[in-house]
Amino acid sequence: MPFQIYVDRDECIGAGTCVECAPRVFQLDDEDIAIVINASGNSDEAILQAAQDCPQQCIYLFDESGEEQLYP
């Protein structure tokens, strides 16, 4: 199931664990803050793992419609 992904840029510390887990979805911008480059670039499992491994828990996953928060 495709996710809508939101990164809370105020909370992101640029640890890069999301990039390690899902490199075709996330990258760090010039401020070393995570951004979404392609919400469907990796498997749902990899995207969920990226959100779960985020030390700040600042990656939010929503269902395809954006109405139901799936994580955290």
Side-chain angles (χ1 to χ4, degrees):
M1 145 184 22
F3 294 117
Q4 284 196 22
I5 305 168
Y6 169 73
V7 177
D8 184 340
R9 292 182 54 83
D10 292 331
E11 293 297 319
C12 180
I13 60 171
T17 54
C18 57
V19 178
E20 292 174 21
C21 291
R24 293 187 306 266
V25 173
F26 299 98
Q27 75 178 33
L28 299 180
D29 66 11
D30 4 335
E31 298 175 19
D32 284 332
I33 302 296
I35 58 171
V36 176
I37 56 171
N38 178 1
S40 60
N42 286 98
S43 69
D44 290 348
E45 292 80 16
I47 295 168
L48 178 59
Q49 190 68 54
Q52 291 173 335
D53 287 357
C54 175
Q56 294 298 101
Q57 294 295 288
C58 64
I59 299 173
Y60 296 84
L61 304 178
F62 295 86
D63 68 358
E64 197 170 7
S65 71
E67 294 178 18
E68 183 181 352
Q69 184 172 327
L70 303 173
Y71 188 84

